[in-house]
Amino acid sequence: MTALIVIPAVISVLALTSAFLFNRAVVRKAQGTDRMKKLQGYIRSGAFTFMLEEARVMAIAMVVIGILLWVLFYWEVAVAFWLGSLLSMSAGFIGMNTATHANARTTEGARKSFKEALAVAFTGGSVMGLSVAGLAVAGLVIVFLIFHHLFDPASLHIQTRYLFGIKSAGVNLIKGALVVSAYSMGASLVALFDRVGGGIYTKAADTAADLVGKVEMHIPEDDPRNPATIADNVGDNVGDVGGLGADLLESFIGAIISVIVMVLYLYVGRNNASLQGLIAKLGFSAGLDAATYWWLLLAPLVIVAGGTFASWLSILYVRVSGTAENVEGILMRGTRIAAILTAVTTFLFCWFSPLSLSIFYEVILGLIGGIAIGFFSEYYTSTTYKPTRQLSKSNQDGPGISVAEGLALGMLSTFLPVIVIAGATIGAYQFGGLLGVAFTAMGMLSFVAMTVSVDTYGPIADNAGGIATMSELPPEVRERTDKLDAIGNTTAAIGKGFAIGSAAFATLGLIASYMWSAIGSASQVVAPQLPIVGQIAASVSPTGSPIQVGAYVLAGLVVGAMVPYVFSALLIRGVSHTAGLLVEEIRRQFKESPKIMTGEQEADFNRCISITAHGGLHKMLLPAAIAVITPFVIGLIFGRYALGGFLVGGLLSAIQLAIFCGNSGGAMDNAKKFIEEGHFGGKGSEAHESSVVGDTVGDPLKDTVGPSLDILIKLMSVIALVFASLFPVYPIFM
Amino acid sequence: MTALIVIPAVISVLALTSAFLFNRAVVRKAQGTDRMKKLQGYIRSGAFTFMLEEARVMAIAMVVIGILLWVLFYWEVAVAFWLGSLLSMSAGFIGMNTATHANARTTEGARKSFKEALAVAFTGGSVMGLSVAGLAVAGLVIVFLIFHHLFDPASLHIQTRYLFGIKSAGVNLIKGALVVSAYSMGASLVALFDRVGGGIYTKAADTAADLVGKVEMHIPEDDPRNPATIADNVGDNVGDVGGLGADLLESFIGAIISVIVMVLYLYVGRNNASLQGLIAKLGFSAGLDAATYWWLLLAPLVIVAGGTFASWLSILYVRVSGTAENVEGILMRGTRIAAILTAVTTFLFCWFSPLSLSIFYEVILGLIGGIAIGFFSEYYTSTTYKPTRQLSKSNQDGPGISVAEGLALGMLSTFLPVIVIAGATIGAYQFGGLLGVAFTAMGMLSFVAMTVSVDTYGPIADNAGGIATMSELPPEVRERTDKLDAIGNTTAAIGKGFAIGSAAFATLGLIASYMWSAIGSASQVVAPQLPIVGQIAASVSPTGSPIQVGAYVLAGLVVGAMVPYVFSALLIRGVSHTAGLLVEEIRRQFKESPKIMTGEQEADFNRCISITAHGGLHKMLLPAAIAVITPFVIGLIFGRYALGGFLVGGLLSAIQLAIFCGNSGGAMDNAKKFIEEGHFGGKGSEAHESSVVGDTVGDPLKDTVGPSLDILIKLMSVIALVFASLFPVYPIFM
């Protein structure tokens, strides 16, 4: 049944070819006036400069960690890690390349018609969407092909590995599981740099441009006289295109590999009595053998290939149907179509395979859960609904009250998504235990190609608007791009909610894999029967005192719940610090060259870009180090149980904090836009001034903290998964 | 050994008698000018009106819940519940009574000398401190005396009780444990109302008075022309005196009873092999018998009696040593003396009793942990140290950046306290497992009489300053009260940090008791051997599928971590909504009666007081209902394992959120004060305007949200503990 691999292989080629052709289609479009070309050139080179500098920093981390993996484990692990990180970097570059091609061409399209603009922007977005899904699937196919011997059921067994031999009892390590985990870790690490570095960059530029431009100099947004205006547009690309793409690519891979890891452990432990119930639920009442094993192992790849194909069809649908009348409706319908088609392909696969329908139900839960969580984000942050309208109104009571109300809105908005996450967890468990949770996570992400396409279209439209203003094109052009942008804001809100929800589920899947591989070994039982939390602690320590393990789990939980707060604090400070440097630079330029304000002299855009880039890269180091080193240290010193608690604590805290930050910031931003549309006194009113303060507070929360938390929890979990076998079972001083 | 009860009985009488005498001493002091008398009268009557109205609302809840306890359990349970709630209410009234006597008398004292003012304010505070400790201990002694048969080792056994008989397997319920838990629940419920209602009241009045007074009308703080000025002063009393006292009383009782509950279960399960290790650690290697049982059961009461005695001595020390030179130093030294003396009395008790020194070590851990956490709060919020000074500086970059920086500071400040909590948990576990954690919590709270005395002195000094300004006394009087107040702010920060840390530990103790009583029964084993988190899930469900229980635990964890966010959101909204109503009223008064501004006509203080009171009472209902009903519903529908997860999730989330909110708000407040002292442009500068915005955001976080979260987690845990035996073990639909 290894022939099943053909399906994901073919579909990844289809996705990547389409991405290439769509990119060609975008590049062939006219670029517009000289001024537009020049601006596009600035943005492109600024974005690439940042990406390349960031890649240099990443390359060092990649080499060090790869060598570490080679020394500690096997060369295959290092290769898989490098493959994952290179693919993730490529996805970022491809997306950025298209987005910075598409921005001015969207503006040029808007000079003709709304429909033309939409076509360019969405085509640009779909290049990113298809690349993310295509690269992730292709990479996994490559891993399977070059390391096929590691997945052969005949060769699957537990290997033992010690680190300094310290109290590290017999550890179970399945080489194939380690290789796919390392692949995922590579993607995670790149995503962390992209999200954190890009997040600090984009918000520092945005905040500084607004502070000096709008507040001090009273010039409008995207005014070409503002020296930080190009940096701001670069930020949209590095944060919202590169960062978001890497984030979802990582969730996608993490969700897939957590299923694969669990299947490997399930096969090795297939004769364990406690696993018979689960094996029967999967459709193999007669037991798991070499043939049925292949169906199960390749199921995640086939299902996500189906999702990618479904997304490809939906992208075509949107491209064909795009009209000025109901763009938002068509995008929403496209997403729904992708979800429904994914359900259909999954059903067909489960029906024609020996697998039971339980996997289909789990995927359905994921699809519905993902869409629901996305909708809740929209509900809380869009001015179509009551919460943000009320927040907008509260701006009349001054900035203090309105910021407090914005924070309250974000806190309140944790309720519905968490209920969905809890409900989906219970449902997935009923269908298939921890493996069911992993399949649900995968289901949520299976149509990621469509989600990323829709999400990437937003920043392209945003950039197009900026170029329109800076090129001093007629107002109807800006009106068209504004309309595109407004829809982009809605889809971005949905996308952010979806990213959090899917990250939470992907992390659950990763933690579940960690439990199976790390804690199972503690009692020398592969894939033990105990449920997730019980598993952490339900074992007796070598000194015979179970009480002590419990203490470490508890301490791990509390410390884990703290890390997202410290991480977030460092990001907020990174943004304000970098923005502070940029503010000084902008003020300096205006002061030293008064001709900038009169328009006689061009501002020094490059200096602003370079200051922001250095700030972003510098300030991402400490939070990145925390994400990478903390789980390693906890595992090494306090053992695997403590690390299990740490991961669960981190997940619990990060889910709430990410939803809170994302929705607070989104609502404060949109409350400001609502006032700018003329409500509560409109631009220049006291309410507007309050809302600008709210936006300054909310921006880093929404675009830096919230999205980076998604990565933090995934990265910490995948690091735990990769290094689990090296960590002692109990604290080294116990 | 039941004679040991004499020690806590005698010391509670000593504490209460001293409190009475100190109160007499305060009342005998001169009240000052007619104007001062009048203002004091307003504040007193406003505070009492609010307390009485709040008591009316509480009385309804008390009657309903008491009857419920009577119907579901036994009459003794209802009586203990009422006793706990009445004592807690009394503590609030006594503290309020003294504080509102002491405020004007402190002002009058300040007219003579600083030392005189300090003596009155601290004596007033110590009445509250001694009352809290005295009443809590006296109440427990009364419970022991009137229900002594329930604690007799001969009569200790497991009783069975069903609710609707739904899948409620044999449940273990020890009547004595239930009675003390209900006593604690009574105190918790009153504390919730006091903290939430008082917290909304105080911040709504403060915010509204500032918004209209300082920002719109440009009149200074505490100006008698401001109609909300009296309401603001009333708020200091209902929030900071009544609320804080009830909060710490509740932590104190919760920590004591969690030890008692665990001792009862330990005795019943004394022959269980898994408990022999713990029993040996406690000093009873030969096993636990009826005689040694009494030593263990009464140990918590004797130890806290020792702490209360130590506090009483320290209070005398402060009263004797109070000079103008080094008040802060003397207060700190007093606190340290109380801690050291508590350690000494505990050591003596452990030494002369058959108990081993392990309990002494646990208490020491608690004492050190509590002081450390308090200090960290001071470090992050006081202008003596770098963090708040830097925050103050960032106000120069405008309100948006400074609020973001303030939030970042609060997030960062979770690091150190959480490390202390984690370390103390591990340490306590090493000495005595879950019981060790409960003893550590108790240790942290054992010298509560001193902590509350120091904390209560702050709001009295604050009020005294208000009265000085409103009575138009010479500036040197205000200078003296300001100096007192500044020290009060530092002690308040320490007190808030301490309240959070001790609440976290008391909750751990309560959750531990819940685990022993509720989950132990699930597998028909009393006091099972598994550690805290493992216990939640390490059992097989009746349908034979352990996987499903794990899902409910996990769902419980996620939902539990969400509740503190929703709860906090409702409080912030409660404050802004109530402040909004009050702002309208103040504006109306200024508009309709222009003579108020010229001073020819007195503002209608009472209307402002009554609007704030109604707002506070109205807006506390939903959060209170969430705190009370959620654990009940989760337990009833999803069973005890899910509820265990829910409590742990709630605790993890609430610890971080409470520290974050408390320190963010505290730092933003002090950053403003630092600017007002003349830094970064001083009053009226742009930095000052920014800091006022920060203060408006931070105030409800610091004084409403943070402290209320302390109560939320304790109340939810104690409700779970009381009703545990009625909840089904597994979800009702499983």
Side-chain angles (χ1 to χ4, degrees):
Chain A
M1 273 309 123
T2 53
L4 273 178
I5 195 91
V6 171
I7 298 176
V10 166
I11 287 178
S12 66
V13 170
L14 171 74
L16 292 173
T17 314
S18 308
F20 177 77
L21 294 175
F22 288 170
N23 187 40
R24 298 289 316 146
V26 168
V27 173
R28 269 200 308 273
K29 298 274 176 187
Q31 260 179 296
T33 66
D34 285 346
R35 172 90 186 148
M36 284 160 70
K37 277 184 207 157
K38 195 170 154 196
L39 290 167
Q40 182 180 31
Y42 280 133
I43 296 173
R44 244 182 103 75
S45 82
F48 273 94
T49 310
F50 177 73
M51 288 287 273
L52 285 170
E53 284 210 36
E54 195 175 48
R56 259 216 311 267
V57 179
M58 284 196 255
I60 298 168
M62 293 307 145
V63 170
V64 172
I65 295 175
I67 291 173
L68 193 74
L69 290 170
W70 198 318
V71 172
L72 292 175
F73 299 108
Y74 312 95
W75 67 269
E76 293 100 327
V77 181
V79 169
F81 169 75
W82 283 324
L83 184 65
S85 46
L86 285 177
L87 286 180
S88 182
M89 275 192 213
S90 315
F93 272 102
I94 293 173
M96 184 81 78
N97 179 45
T98 321
T100 52
H101 274 314
N103 51 8
R105 292 174 170 89
T106 301
T107 318
E108 178 63 18
R111 288 175 74 187
K112 295 174 199 145
S113 73
F114 180 81
K115 191 175 166 168
E116 182 71 21
L118 171 69
V120 180
F122 185 75
T123 307
S126 62
V127 173
M128 183 65 170
L130 290 166
S131 304
V132 163
L135 287 173
V137 175
L140 277 165
V141 170
I142 292 170
V143 169
F144 265 111
L145 293 180
I146 58 176
F147 302 126
H148 59 95
H149 57 284
L150 297 179
F151 302 98
D152 189 332
S155 73
L156 277 182
H157 63 279
I158 305 282
Q159 310 200 4
T160 309
R161 196 93 192 159
Y162 294 95
L163 182 67
F164 319 130
I166 307 166
K167 280 195 189 167
S168 194
V171 289
N172 61 349
L173 178 166
I174 295 176
K175 212 167 158 185
L178 192 58
V179 163
V180 290
S181 304
Y183 173 73
S184 179
M185 190 171 89
S188 268
L189 204 56
V190 171
L192 179 79
F193 283 113
D194 279 356
R195 258 304 196 203
V196 174
I200 294 177
Y201 187 111
T202 183
K203 285 305 121 180
D206 188 8
T207 306
D210 283 2
L211 272 185
V212 186
K214 288 192 204 167
V215 180
E216 290 179 15
M217 310 299 291
H218 303 288
I219 53 179
E221 176 117 25
D222 291 325
D223 192 292
R225 290 170 296 176
N226 191 334
T229 224
I230 299 283
D232 190 7
N233 280 285
V234 170
D236 291 342
N237 288 293
V238 300
D240 297 346
V241 177
L244 183 111
D247 184 356
L248 285 172
L249 176 82
E250 187 218 3
S251 284
F252 188 53
I253 292 177
I256 298 171
I257 72 103
S258 61
V259 175
I260 293 174
V261 169
M262 289 173 86
V263 169
L264 292 174
Y265 279 91
L266 185 67
Y267 183 75
V268 172
R270 67 192 175 284
N271 295 323
N272 189 315
S274 65
L275 293 175
Q276 298 313 315
L278 178 56
I279 291 175
K281 271 191 179 175
L282 287 163
F284 312 119
S285 345
L288 199 59
D289 59 26
T292 44
Y293 157 80
W294 280 115
W295 280 104
L296 194 55
L297 186 74
L298 295 176
L301 276 177
V302 175
I303 291 171
V304 298
T308 306
F309 184 68
S311 304
W312 183 79
L313 289 175
S314 307
I315 288 168
L316 296 186
Y317 162 80
V318 173
R319 278 170 59 92
V320 170
S321 320
T323 60
E325 280 74 44
N326 187 11
V327 185
E328 195 171 343
I330 285 163
L331 288 175
M332 297 288 152
R333 206 176 308 136
T335 308
R336 274 202 299 274
I337 289 173
I340 292 166
L341 287 178
T342 304
V344 171
T345 54
T346 306
F347 178 81
L348 291 174
F349 171 69
C350 291
W351 189 256
F352 288 109
S353 76
L355 295 164
S356 79
L357 282 181
S358 67
I359 293 176
F360 168 69
Y361 300 134
E362 289 150 20
V363 169
I364 290 283
L365 265 183
L367 291 169
I368 295 173
I371 290 178
I373 292 175
F375 170 72
F376 296 143
S377 281
E378 196 204 345
Y379 173 75
Y380 276 104
T381 60
S382 156
T383 49
T384 320
Y385 302 97
K386 210 173 133 197
T388 299
R389 290 199 174 210
Q390 277 188 331
L391 176 62
S392 202
K393 186 157 181 261
S394 79
N395 276 302
Q396 294 173 301
D397 300 331
I401 297 271
S402 75
V403 170
E405 284 284 292
L407 297 177
L409 182 149
M411 289 178 175
L412 205 59
S413 75
T414 55
F415 178 66
L416 291 170
V418 164
I419 295 297
V420 168
I421 291 172
T425 306
I426 290 178
Y429 250 91
Q430 303 281 354
F431 289 125
L434 285 179
L435 185 58
V437 173
F439 268 115
T440 297
M442 199 204 67
M444 195 177 270
L445 285 151
S446 51
F447 63 115
V448 76
M450 184 64 191
T451 329
V452 173
S453 302
V454 173
D455 288 349
T456 310
Y457 136 93
I460 295 177
D462 192 358
N463 255 251
I467 293 174
T469 305
M470 287 187 279
S471 314
E472 286 148 6
L473 296 178
E476 71 262 26
V477 179
R478 176 81 201 201
E479 269 166 37
R480 285 181 191 137
T481 59
D482 272 356
K483 201 174 156 190
L484 272 183
D485 188 25
I487 299 158
N489 279 328
T490 308
T491 58
I494 298 177
K496 267 173 197 132
F498 179 81
I500 293 165
S502 61
F505 259 85
T507 307
L508 266 184
L510 290 169
I511 295 180
S513 306
Y514 170 76
M515 300 286 172
W516 272 35
S517 59
I519 311 290
S521 66
S523 47
Q524 304 292 338
V525 179
V526 179
Q529 74 278 34
L530 289 174
I532 185 160
V533 183
Q535 245 177 27
I536 314 175
S539 177
V540 181
S541 81
T543 59
S545 169
I547 283 169
Q548 295 179 4
V549 178
Y552 290 99
V553 174
L554 203 54
L557 282 164
V558 181
V559 173
M562 171 266 288
V563 168
Y565 280 84
V566 170
F567 181 80
S568 304
L570 294 174
L571 296 186
I572 297 174
R573 291 198 163 175
V575 171
S576 7
H577 184 254
T578 309
L581 296 180
L582 191 53
V583 162
E584 274 171 36
E585 169 62 22
I586 306 172
R587 285 189 187 144
R588 188 195 62 79
Q589 289 198 19
F590 276 131
K591 200 172 155 195
E592 292 180 7
S593 322
K595 285 184 181 170
I596 293 177
M597 261 311 267
T598 59
E600 292 164 81
Q601 189 190 333
E602 195 163 70
D604 186 351
F605 298 130
N606 280 329
R607 238 185 109 79
C608 289
I609 290 173
S610 130
I611 285 172
T612 326
H614 281 113
L617 293 172
H618 182 70
K619 289 291 171 186
M620 87 182 169
L621 293 180
L622 183 57
I626 287 177
V628 173
I629 295 170
T630 325
F632 203 84
V633 169
I634 301 263
L636 214 53
I637 299 178
F638 299 98
R640 295 188 206 166
Y641 289 101
L643 183 55
F646 175 84
L647 295 177
V648 172
L651 172 63
L652 290 179
S653 189
I655 290 177
Q656 322 290 341
L657 203 51
I659 300 175
F660 157 48
C661 289
N663 290 345
S664 277
M668 291 199 247
D669 185 1
N670 284 330
K672 184 191 75 174
K673 289 194 176 130
F674 193 64
I675 292 175
E676 285 172 354
E677 284 168 17
H679 301 272
F680 311 120
K683 273 194 181 178
S685 65
E686 270 189 42
H688 186 241
E689 253 177 67
S690 294
S691 71
V692 170
V693 174
D695 190 31
T696 312
V697 177
D699 256 355
L701 297 182
K702 162 176 69 108
D703 288 323
T704 315
V705 174
S708 301
L709 285 171
D710 300 354
I711 316 265
L712 174 74
I713 48 170
K714 280 180 287 177
L715 181 60
M716 293 198 308
S717 307
V718 81
I719 288 175
L721 183 58
V722 168
F723 292 100
S725 60
L726 296 181
F727 299 147
V729 176
Y730 303 104
I732 51 173
F733 41 78
M734 230 173 97
Chain B
M1 273 313 121
T2 52
L4 273 178
I5 195 90
V6 171
I7 298 175
V10 166
I11 288 178
S12 65
V13 170
L14 171 73
L16 292 173
T17 312
S18 306
F20 176 78
L21 293 177
F22 288 170
N23 187 41
R24 296 292 313 150
V26 168
V27 173
R28 266 199 309 271
K29 298 272 173 189
Q31 260 178 296
T33 66
D34 284 348
R35 172 89 187 151
M36 285 161 69
K37 277 184 205 158
K38 198 172 153 195
L39 289 167
Q40 181 181 35
Y42 280 133
I43 297 173
R44 244 181 103 77
S45 84
F48 272 94
T49 311
F50 176 74
M51 287 287 273
L52 285 169
E53 282 210 38
E54 195 177 47
R56 258 217 311 268
V57 178
M58 285 196 254
I60 298 168
M62 294 308 142
V63 170
V64 171
I65 295 174
I67 290 173
L68 193 74
L69 289 170
W70 197 318
V71 172
L72 292 174
F73 299 108
Y74 313 94
W75 68 268
E76 292 99 327
V77 181
V79 169
F81 169 75
W82 283 323
L83 185 65
S85 46
L86 285 178
L87 285 182
S88 181
M89 276 192 213
S90 313
F93 271 102
I94 291 172
M96 183 82 79
N97 179 47
T98 321
T100 52
H101 274 313
N103 51 8
R105 291 177 171 89
T106 300
T107 319
E108 178 63 18
R111 288 175 73 188
K112 293 174 201 148
S113 74
F114 179 81
K115 191 176 167 169
E116 181 72 22
L118 171 69
V120 180
F122 184 76
T123 307
S126 63
V127 173
M128 184 65 170
L130 290 167
S131 303
V132 162
L135 286 172
V137 175
L140 277 164
V141 170
I142 292 170
V143 168
F144 265 110
L145 293 180
I146 59 175
F147 302 127
H148 60 94
H149 56 286
L150 298 178
F151 302 98
D152 188 334
S155 73
L156 276 182
H157 63 278
I158 305 282
Q159 310 203 3
T160 310
R161 195 91 191 161
Y162 294 96
L163 181 67
F164 317 131
I166 307 166
K167 280 195 189 167
S168 192
V171 288
N172 62 350
L173 178 166
I174 296 175
K175 214 168 156 184
L178 192 59
V179 164
V180 289
S181 306
Y183 171 73
S184 177
M185 190 170 90
S188 269
L189 204 58
V190 171
L192 179 80
F193 282 113
D194 277 357
R195 259 301 197 205
V196 174
I200 295 177
Y201 186 111
T202 183
K203 284 306 122 178
D206 189 8
T207 308
D210 283 0
L211 273 183
V212 186
K214 288 192 204 166
V215 182
E216 290 179 16
M217 308 301 288
H218 303 287
I219 51 178
E221 175 116 27
D222 292 326
D223 192 292
R225 290 169 296 178
N226 191 333
T229 231
I230 298 283
D232 190 7
N233 280 286
V234 170
D236 291 340
N237 288 292
V238 300
D240 297 343
V241 178
L244 182 110
D247 185 354
L248 286 172
L249 176 81
E250 188 218 2
S251 284
F252 188 53
I253 293 177
I256 299 171
I257 72 103
S258 60
V259 175
I260 293 175
V261 168
M262 291 174 84
V263 169
L264 293 174
Y265 279 92
L266 185 69
Y267 183 74
V268 172
R270 66 191 176 281
N271 295 322
N272 190 315
S274 65
L275 293 176
Q276 299 313 315
L278 178 56
I279 291 175
K281 272 190 179 175
L282 288 163
F284 312 118
S285 342
L288 200 58
D289 59 25
T292 45
Y293 156 82
W294 280 114
W295 280 103
L296 194 55
L297 186 75
L298 295 177
L301 277 177
V302 175
I303 292 170
V304 299
T308 306
F309 184 67
S311 305
W312 182 80
L313 289 176
S314 308
I315 289 168
L316 295 187
Y317 163 79
V318 173
R319 277 170 60 95
V320 170
S321 322
T323 60
E325 282 72 45
N326 188 11
V327 184
E328 197 171 344
I330 285 164
L331 287 175
M332 298 290 153
R333 205 176 310 138
T335 307
R336 276 201 299 274
I337 289 174
I340 292 168
L341 289 179
T342 305
V344 170
T345 55
T346 306
F347 178 81
L348 291 175
F349 171 68
C350 291
W351 190 256
F352 290 108
S353 76
L355 294 165
S356 78
L357 282 181
S358 66
I359 293 177
F360 168 68
Y361 300 135
E362 290 150 20
V363 169
I364 290 282
L365 267 181
L367 291 169
I368 295 173
I371 289 178
I373 293 175
F375 169 73
F376 297 144
S377 282
E378 195 203 345
Y379 174 75
Y380 276 105
T381 60
S382 156
T383 49
T384 318
Y385 302 98
K386 209 174 135 199
T388 299
R389 287 195 177 214
Q390 278 188 331
L391 176 63
S392 201
K393 185 158 182 259
S394 79
N395 277 301
Q396 292 173 303
D397 301 331
I401 298 271
S402 74
V403 170
E405 285 285 292
L407 297 177
L409 181 150
M411 288 178 174
L412 205 59
S413 74
T414 56
F415 178 64
L416 292 171
V418 164
I419 296 298
V420 168
I421 291 173
T425 306
I426 290 177
Y429 251 90
Q430 303 280 357
F431 291 124
L434 286 179
L435 185 58
V437 173
F439 268 114
T440 298
M442 199 204 67
M444 196 176 271
L445 286 150
S446 51
F447 62 115
V448 76
M450 184 64 192
T451 330
V452 173
S453 301
V454 174
D455 289 350
T456 309
Y457 136 91
I460 294 177
D462 192 359
N463 254 252
I467 293 174
T469 307
M470 286 187 280
S471 313
E472 287 147 4
L473 294 179
E476 72 262 26
V477 179
R478 177 81 201 199
E479 270 165 38
R480 284 179 192 140
T481 60
D482 272 355
K483 200 173 157 193
L484 272 185
D485 189 23
I487 300 158
N489 279 327
T490 308
T491 59
I494 298 177
K496 267 173 196 133
F498 179 79
I500 292 165
S502 61
F505 259 84
T507 308
L508 267 184
L510 290 168
I511 295 180
S513 306
Y514 169 78
M515 300 287 173
W516 273 35
S517 59
I519 311 292
S521 67
S523 46
Q524 305 292 340
V525 180
V526 178
Q529 73 277 36
L530 289 173
I532 185 161
V533 184
Q535 245 177 30
I536 312 176
S539 179
V540 182
S541 80
T543 59
S545 168
I547 283 169
Q548 295 178 4
V549 177
Y552 289 99
V553 174
L554 203 52
L557 281 166
V558 181
V559 172
M562 172 266 290
V563 167
Y565 281 84
V566 170
F567 180 80
S568 303
L570 294 174
L571 295 187
I572 297 174
R573 290 197 164 176
V575 171
S576 5
H577 184 255
T578 308
L581 297 179
L582 191 54
V583 162
E584 274 172 37
E585 169 63 20
I586 306 172
R587 284 187 187 144
R588 187 195 64 79
Q589 290 199 18
F590 276 130
K591 200 171 153 196
E592 290 180 7
S593 322
K595 286 184 180 168
I596 293 177
M597 263 307 269
T598 59
E600 291 165 82
Q601 190 189 331
E602 191 161 72
D604 186 351
F605 300 128
N606 280 327
R607 238 186 110 80
C608 289
I609 291 172
S610 132
I611 285 171
T612 324
H614 281 111
L617 293 172
H618 183 69
K619 291 290 170 187
M620 84 179 172
L621 293 180
L622 184 56
I626 287 177
V628 174
I629 295 169
T630 324
F632 203 83
V633 169
I634 301 264
L636 214 54
I637 299 178
F638 298 98
R640 295 187 207 167
Y641 289 102
L643 183 55
F646 175 84
L647 296 177
V648 172
L651 172 63
L652 290 180
S653 191
I655 290 176
Q656 322 290 341
L657 203 51
I659 300 175
F660 157 48
C661 289
N663 289 346
S664 278
M668 292 199 248
D669 185 0
N670 284 331
K672 186 191 75 174
K673 290 196 175 129
F674 194 63
I675 293 175
E676 286 172 354
E677 285 168 16
H679 302 273
F680 311 119
K683 272 194 182 180
S685 65
E686 271 190 41
H688 186 240
E689 252 178 65
S690 295
S691 71
V692 171
V693 173
D695 189 32
T696 311
V697 176
D699 255 355
L701 296 181
K702 164 177 67 109
D703 289 323
T704 315
V705 173
S708 299
L709 284 170
D710 301 353
I711 315 268
L712 174 73
I713 49 170
K714 282 180 286 178
L715 181 59
M716 293 198 308
S717 306
V718 78
I719 288 175
L721 182 60
V722 168
F723 291 100
S725 60
L726 295 179
F727 299 147
V729 176
Y730 303 104
I732 51 173
F733 42 77
M734 231 174 97

